[in-house]
Amino acid sequence: MHLAYPAVLSVLLFCTGLYGVLARRNAILVLMSVELMLNAVNLNLVAFDVWLSEAAEETLHSGQALTLFTIAIAAAEIGIGLAIVLAVHRNRGTSDIDKLRDTAEGHEPDGPDTDAPATGTAAEKAEATA
């Protein structure tokens, strides 16, 4: 088997995952895209392990062992990541990354709030609270 076939598939998977991380706004879809990128790396590790074991007489299968560690880390990452996303969704009501970033940085929404009544200056507010 040629090394080019799994390498090209791995590149396509990684690019798809990278696009998903950069373009998506939903946190769950971003986590799924990270998983795609990790699976592309796993495919590359196994493909190069098979290719190197055919060329060498010793078969250590270090690429396959590394892949098992990567799968274990990915499973832990997705479990913790989904728990965090669900907790944030329960508290904030959304999993949109842009909205969560704006609330974390303390940005006000664009434009004035039309529901709030118009009030006076800051001096009048200070006198009213005193």
Side-chain angles (χ1 to χ4, degrees):
M1 178 175 78
H2 293 283
L3 184 61
Y5 298 131
V8 168
L9 180 62
S10 177
V11 166
L12 291 174
L13 278 174
F14 193 86
C15 289
T16 303
L18 185 65
Y19 173 74
V21 167
L22 295 176
R24 299 292 178 188
R25 297 176 189 257
N26 191 347
I28 295 175
L29 292 177
V30 170
L31 286 174
M32 289 174 60
S33 298
V34 169
E35 288 295 320
L36 263 177
M37 292 167 58
L38 286 173
N39 285 330
V41 170
N42 287 339
L43 179 64
N44 239 352
L45 282 172
V46 171
F48 274 96
D49 182 48
V50 169
W51 182 65
L52 289 175
S53 69
E54 289 176 358
E57 294 169 359
E58 298 177 10
T59 55
L60 295 176
H61 298 296
S62 57
Q64 293 177 12
L66 229 64
T67 298
L68 288 176
F69 285 117
T70 308
I71 289 171
I73 290 171
E77 175 256 336
I78 200 69
I80 293 171
L82 282 176
I84 291 171
V85 168
L86 287 175
V88 167
H89 188 271
R90 285 182 186 155
N91 288 336
R92 306 275 173 112
T94 184
S95 62
D96 187 7
I97 294 175
D98 289 336
K99 289 181 183 176
L100 294 175
R101 183 182 45 206
D102 290 342
T103 58
E105 293 175 355
H107 288 250
E108 294 296 324
D110 295 336
D113 190 11
T114 57
D115 295 336
T119 57
T121 63
E124 292 174 0
K125 289 181 186 178
E127 288 178 18
T129 57

